[in-house]
Structures are given as structure tokens and as C-alpha cells.
Amino acid sequence: MIEVIFNASFITSSCFSFLIFVFTMTMYRSNNKLKLFSAAFLIILASNAVNYIFLKDAFQIDIGLLSTSMFSLYMLIVAFYGQKNKNYKFLYYLAYVFTAANIVIALKYNFLFTFIKSDLIKWLVQIAALALVLFFIKTEGSKDIQFKRAIALLLLSKVFYSIEYLNQYLAVIGFCLEASGYVTCFSYFYNIVYSSFMDKVNEAEKLKNTVEKSFYYEVKKRTIEIEKSNEKLLELSKTDSLTKAYNKLAIMNIIEKLTTSKARQTFSILMFDIDKFKTINDTLGHVTGDMCIRTLVSIAQANIRSIDYLGRYGGDEFIIVLPTLSANDARIVAERFRSKVAETNNPRFTVSIGIATFPEDGKTVKELISAADIGLYRAKERGRNAVSHSMLF
């Protein structure tokens, strides 16, 4: 029965020592006491490995108790030295030194134990365990209390194993304490490492969200800039470079949309040009001619609504589209515009205006332009500086 318990103890200590050491060393990146504590379990792990591989026929309990003494001594050094000094690198090396020493002692078991009594090892275990337990009790208020209690359970279990008159009941108690200690110890390491790992995951997630958010806003910003640039280019493609009014293609498309609209709503167009514009260009120069055109556009824009459209048809010829206005309403707008142009000076110039209305004067763009052109021709025949319709006035 005792042999079964010792085998169970061997398996438990090996598995948990391996898990604690490997899990902490590989998953936990910070250099602090946690790694030092986990390094102590390498002593137990190495001792068990040597026992299993090389000392199957030897009395393995003594070697196990000796490794516990080395484990306890290392823990005491870490506990005392680590409080006052942050040179963790030295303590890492010390863990490997203790491990190597434990392996050498185990391999030289027959020679060494000729001079070292088994009772001495048991006393070493009990003294080391007692010293470590007393130290942990003294510092019970610290944040590592769960770990310290776990180590205390492990060492107390070894005290039970080292009792001279060991029976199966004491062995069972010792194993229960040992198993509880290893489970508690692994839980302590797992919680800290997992918590640290999750903190890094959350930090990475926040960083990812920040990058994605920045990327999203940057893409959105660039998209808006591109859209504005495209709109600007589209607007430029629709406007006349000299006057900034719609160009011929754009104003013709506007009329096309109105004529093909399902609403079939009435609208009128004004076609006008500067009277004797060729004479202005020939006598005063093309610079003055361009100035007259810009002045004409400025007056036109000031005398139409926000829903109306102004476009340059060609040369000094322009078209104004007046949605919802009949021929008579369009005549009022045209007369007001004509009189404002007649007030210009330096140079003084006038305009003639022809009116056409949808659908009375035409149902297509071509028909409306033709009707407005006839009205413009009639205004010229009437002596210029006039407003005319192809049939009404």
C-alpha cells in the first residue's frame, strides 16, 4: 500500500512540476519572482527523472527527500534574497546549480550515502520545511499567500513521509497534503500567467481596435477627399472656364432631363446674346469682350432663382433654364434681366432674348432650342435690346 502511495506521489510531483515549470517559463515573459519560484520545481523534476531512469532498484525515498531539502533551501534563498535584491539572473543560475547538485548526488547515491545517514536527510527535510513554513506564516499578509500555503502543504507532506515509523495512514495523509499542495500551486501559477496572458490579449485587442479605427477614419477621410475631388472634377467638366456657368453639354443635358421627366412639368428657356458683340471685340479688343461676357453672367446670376440654370451655349450666346415658369412668367424675368444689362457702363452693351416654353413650343431639346432661337432672331429684328417669343410677343 505504501509503495502504491509513493508511486502516486512520484507521478503527481513529476507531472505538476513539469507543468508548472514549462507553462510558466514559456508563457510568462516578465522576469520576476514568479519565474524564480517556478524554477525551483526543476529541482524536483530533475530528481524524479534521475530516480526513474537510473535508480529503479535503489531506495528512492531518500533521494526524493533530499530534493525536497534542496527545493526548500532554494525557496528560502529566493524569499530572503529576492526581497532585497532584484538581480533575478543570479537566482535563475542558482536554480540550475541546485538542480545539477541534486542530480550529482542522486547519481553518486551509493558512494555518498555510505557517509550520509538516511536519518540526516530526514532531519534536513523537517528543518528546511519548518523554516520555510515559519517564514511564510510570518509574511502571511503578502500577495503570494496562496503560493506560500501550497508550498507549506508540499513540505508538510514530506515531513509525514520522513517519519521513522511510517504506516499507510500517515502515507495517505502525506499524499493528500502533497496532492493538495501541487494543485493549489499549479492553480496559483496558472491564474497569474493566464491573467498576464489575457491582459496582453486585451491590450493587443485594444491596439487592434485603435489601428482599425484609425485605419477606418483614414480610409473614410481619403474616400471623402477623393469624392470631393471627383465632384470638383465633375463640376469642372460641366462648367465654362471663362464664366463658371454650365458649358453647352451640361446645359443641354439639364434641358434633356426636364423634357424626359415623368412629371412633364412646364418650364421655359431664355436664349440671349450680346448685341453687336463682334463690333465690341473688333473695336475694343477681345479682353474687353471677355469682360462684357463675365459682366453679363454676373448680372444673369443675380436675377435668377437658386433653382434656375445658367449655361454658355457658345461665344456670347447663353441659355437660362427656368423650371416651373410659363412663357409670360419667363417674359417678366427676361425683361428685368434685359433692363439690368442695359444699365451697364464701360462699355455699355445690351442683350436680345428669345423665349421658348415646354411643351407648347417644343417637346425635345432640339425643338425648344430652335423655338428660342427664332424668338432671339425676332428680338434682333425688332431693333435689339428686346425680349421676343416665336409666336406670342
Side-chain angles (χ1 to χ4, degrees):
M1 179 65 178
I2 294 176
E3 186 178 351
V4 172
I5 292 172
F6 280 155
N7 288 334
S9 171
F10 175 82
I11 294 170
T12 302
S13 62
S14 299
C15 291
F16 277 101
S17 295
F18 176 80
L19 286 173
I20 291 170
F21 178 74
V22 174
F23 180 72
T24 306
M25 287 296 181
T26 56
M27 296 294 291
Y28 198 67
R29 298 300 180 187
S30 302
N31 287 327
N32 58 18
K33 277 190 183 180
L34 191 71
K35 277 194 172 182
L36 297 179
F37 287 149
S38 69
F41 288 89
L42 182 61
I43 299 170
I44 296 175
L45 182 63
S47 176
N48 287 351
V50 170
N51 276 333
Y52 180 75
I53 298 171
F54 299 107
L55 306 173
K56 291 183 180 180
D57 298 328
F59 189 58
Q60 299 176 11
I61 297 176
D62 289 341
I63 302 298
L65 293 175
L66 182 62
S67 68
T68 302
S69 299
M70 303 281 275
F71 174 85
S72 303
L73 182 58
Y74 176 76
M75 280 293 189
L76 281 171
I77 294 172
V78 170
F80 282 109
Y81 185 80
Q83 281 185 336
K84 300 177 182 179
N85 198 310
K86 299 299 181 183
N87 187 11
Y88 295 138
K89 194 172 183 180
F90 165 74
L91 293 174
Y92 282 135
Y93 291 140
L94 190 63
Y96 300 130
V97 169
F98 271 62
T99 302
N102 199 50
I103 292 172
V104 170
I105 292 172
L107 291 175
K108 299 296 182 179
Y109 173 83
N110 292 330
F111 173 75
L112 290 172
F113 281 88
T114 303
F115 303 98
I116 301 174
K117 294 288 187 180
S118 178
D119 290 343
L120 178 60
I121 297 175
K122 294 177 181 178
W123 278 105
L124 283 173
V125 171
Q126 292 174 2
I127 292 170
L130 181 61
L132 197 55
V133 169
L134 287 174
F135 176 77
F136 284 164
I137 290 173
K138 184 181 176 182
T139 58
E140 186 172 344
S142 67
K143 61 181 180 180
D144 298 325
I145 188 62
Q146 182 187 2
F147 174 68
K148 292 173 181 179
R149 286 174 179 169
I151 298 300
L153 289 172
L154 291 178
L155 296 179
L156 285 173
S157 71
K158 297 301 180 181
V159 172
F160 274 87
Y161 290 150
S162 65
I163 293 174
E164 186 174 358
Y165 300 104
L166 180 65
N167 57 41
Q168 62 182 12
Y169 301 109
L170 292 175
V172 168
I173 294 172
F175 177 72
C176 290
L177 290 172
E178 183 180 27
S180 299
Y182 275 116
V183 170
T184 305
C185 204
F186 180 74
S187 174
Y188 169 79
F189 280 93
Y190 178 81
N191 288 336
I192 292 180
V193 174
Y194 180 76
S195 176
S196 174
F197 177 75
M198 288 309 297
D199 287 343
K200 291 179 181 178
V201 169
N202 292 333
E203 185 179 343
E205 190 67 27
K206 287 181 182 177
L207 180 62
K208 175 191 165 194
N209 292 336
T210 302
V211 170
E212 285 182 348
K213 193 174 182 181
S214 300
F215 180 73
Y216 170 76
Y217 282 122
E218 188 62 30
V219 170
K220 190 174 182 180
K221 180 182 174 183
R222 290 292 301 146
T223 301
I224 292 172
E225 289 175 356
I226 291 171
E227 287 177 351
K228 286 183 178 178
S229 178
N230 289 339
E231 288 175 2
K232 189 175 181 180
L233 290 173
L234 183 61
E235 194 64 29
L236 287 173
S237 70
K238 292 180 179 179
T239 56
D240 174 64
S241 59
L242 176 64
T243 63
K244 307 306 177 187
Y246 285 110
N247 57 29
K248 181 177 180 179
L249 179 61
I251 199 69
M252 298 293 276
N253 285 337
I254 290 169
I255 298 172
E256 176 74 26
K257 287 180 180 179
L258 290 173
T259 58
T260 57
S261 172
K262 292 181 180 180
R264 306 288 290 177
Q265 194 174 33
T266 294
F267 69 92
S268 296
I269 64 172
L270 308 181
M271 178 177 279
F272 59 94
D273 64 8
I274 298 174
D275 295 328
K276 298 182 179 179
F277 183 67
K278 186 176 183 306
T279 302
I280 294 174
N281 272 336
D282 292 343
T283 58
L284 300 177
H286 289 280
V287 173
T288 302
D290 289 345
M291 185 181 68
C292 290
I293 289 175
R294 285 194 290 267
T295 301
L296 177 66
V297 169
S298 178
I299 295 171
Q301 289 173 335
N303 285 274
I304 59 177
R305 303 167 299 175
S306 60
I307 63 170
D308 299 332
Y309 304 94
L310 170 65
R312 188 178 185 184
Y313 190 67
D316 65 320
E317 203 166 28
F318 291 84
I319 291 175
I320 294 176
V321 181
L322 304 170
T324 73
L325 295 190
S326 63
N328 288 327
D329 293 332
R331 183 181 185 182
I332 296 172
V333 175
E335 286 290 356
R336 182 176 67 240
F337 168 55
R338 181 198 59 77
S339 64
K340 289 290 183 181
V341 173
E343 295 173 2
T344 57
N345 291 302
N346 297 323
R348 183 181 182 278
F349 63 90
T350 60
V351 292
S352 298
I353 305 172
I355 299 175
T357 303
F358 175 84
E360 291 86 352
D361 299 322
K363 296 182 179 180
T364 65
V365 176
K366 186 176 180 180
E367 291 174 354
L368 286 171
I369 294 296
S370 179
D373 194 42
I374 292 172
L376 176 59
Y377 181 76
R378 288 188 63 188
K380 297 286 187 184
E381 282 189 333
R382 291 171 57 190
R384 299 183 177 83
N385 191 22
V387 176
S388 292
H389 184 273
S390 60
M391 294 179 291
L392 298 178
F393 43 83

